[in-house]
C-alpha cells in the first residue's frame, strides 16, 4: 500500500509540467499594481489606435492596472482628463500553457462588476514578451492595411 501511495505521489508530481509551473510563477509575479507607461508600434507613423474597443492608446498611456491572480480578475483605470471615457474597468485574464510556438500569451476579457462579459464575450490575446518583478511587456498583433501591425505595451510595477 505504501508503494502504491508513493507511486501515485510521483505520478502527481511528474504531471506538474514545467509550463504549468511557469504559468503559476507568472501569475504570482503579476500580482499587484502596474503602470502602462509606454505604447509603441512596429512601424513609424501616426496611428489612431483604439485598444480593447475602449479608448485610444494615448488614453491608456499612464493607466494603472491591478491584477488579482487568485481569481484571475483585475481592474484598470483610465484617468487622463483629455479622454472622453475615464474611470475603472474590470477584466478577467488568464495565461494559458504555451502553444506550439512555445510563446506565452496573456488572454484578457472585459467584464462588469458582476463578472459578466461587457463585449459580447469577446476577448483579446497578447504575446507575453517579458515579465519580471519590475517590468512587463505585451505585444498585440492586429491587421493594418492587410499586413501585421504590432502594438507593444510596456508596464512598470508600482506595488504588490
Amino acid at each position: 500500500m505504501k508503494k502504491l501511495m508513493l507511486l501515485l505521489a510521483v505520478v502527481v508530481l511528474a504531471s506538474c509540467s514545467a509550463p504549468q509551473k511557469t504559468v503559476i510563477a507568472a501569475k504570482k509575479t503579476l500580482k499587484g499594481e502596474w503602470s502602462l507607461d509606454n505604447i509603441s508600434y512596429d512601424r513609424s507613423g501616426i496611428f489612431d489606435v483604439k485598444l480593447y474597443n475602449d479608448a485610444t492608446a494615448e488614453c491608456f498611456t499612464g493607466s494603472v492596472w491591478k491584477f488579482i491572480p487568485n481569481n484571475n480578475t483585475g481592474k484598470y483605470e483610465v484617468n487622463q482628463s483629455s479622454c472622453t471615457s475615464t474611470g475603472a474597468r474590470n477584466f478577467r485574464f488568464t495565461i494559458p500553457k504555451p502553444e506550439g510556438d512555445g510563446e506565452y500569451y496573456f488572454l484578457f476579457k472585459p467584464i462588469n462588476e458582476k463578472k459578466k462579459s461587457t463585449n459580447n464575450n469577446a476577448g483579446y490575446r497578447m504575446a507575453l514578451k517579458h515579465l519580471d518583478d519590475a517590468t512587463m511587456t505585451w505585444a498585440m498583433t492586429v491587421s493594418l492595411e492587410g499586413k501585421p501591425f504590432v502594438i507593444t505595451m510596456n508596464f512598470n510595477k508600482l506595488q504588490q
Side-chain angles (χ1 to χ4, degrees):
M1 184 68 171
K2 286 183 181 180
K3 287 182 181 181
L4 179 63
M5 293 301 284
L6 181 61
L7 179 63
L8 184 59
V10 168
V11 169
V12 168
L13 288 174
S15 68
C16 292
S17 64
Q20 184 63 30
K21 289 179 183 177
T22 301
V23 168
I24 292 168
K27 285 184 177 182
K28 286 181 181 179
T29 302
L30 193 61
K31 182 181 178 182
E33 289 188 2
W34 297 76
S35 173
L36 176 50
D37 292 335
N38 177 274
I39 299 172
S40 60
Y41 312 110
D42 68 341
R43 56 183 102 150
S44 60
I46 298 173
F47 303 99
D48 184 20
V49 174
K50 188 172 186 180
L51 294 173
Y52 311 123
N53 202 26
D54 182 9
T56 65
E58 289 78 21
C59 290
F60 270 93
T61 302
S63 60
V64 175
W65 294 62
K66 182 174 183 174
F67 297 90
I68 307 167
N70 67 338
N71 65 4
N72 289 356
T73 63
K75 183 180 288 193
Y76 66 87
E77 292 194 39
V78 175
N79 291 324
Q80 291 197 18
S81 59
S82 61
C83 300
T84 55
S85 177
T86 60
R89 280 91 154 153
N90 298 293
F91 62 89
R92 180 172 304 286
F93 73 92
T94 190
I95 303 171
K97 292 180 192 176
E99 297 176 4
D101 61 5
E103 187 156 31
Y104 286 89
Y105 289 91
F106 183 87
L107 305 179
F108 164 93
K109 181 167 84 171
I111 58 173
N112 62 21
E113 291 85 15
K114 295 180 181 180
K115 299 189 180 4
K116 301 291 182 194
S117 175
T118 60
N119 200 15
N120 292 328
N121 232 12
Y124 304 92
R125 175 179 135 153
M126 288 79 59
L128 184 57
K129 293 294 189 182
H130 175 80
L131 176 63
D132 64 29
D133 290 335
T135 60
M136 174 171 55
T137 302
W138 296 348
M140 180 169 37
T141 303
V142 296
S143 180
L144 177 66
E145 299 171 346
K147 297 177 185 170
F149 180 71
V150 180
I151 303 166
T152 302
M153 294 163 266
N154 294 298
F155 293 81
N156 285 302
K157 193 152 196 181
L158 299 174
Q159 66 180 19
Q160 276 208 329

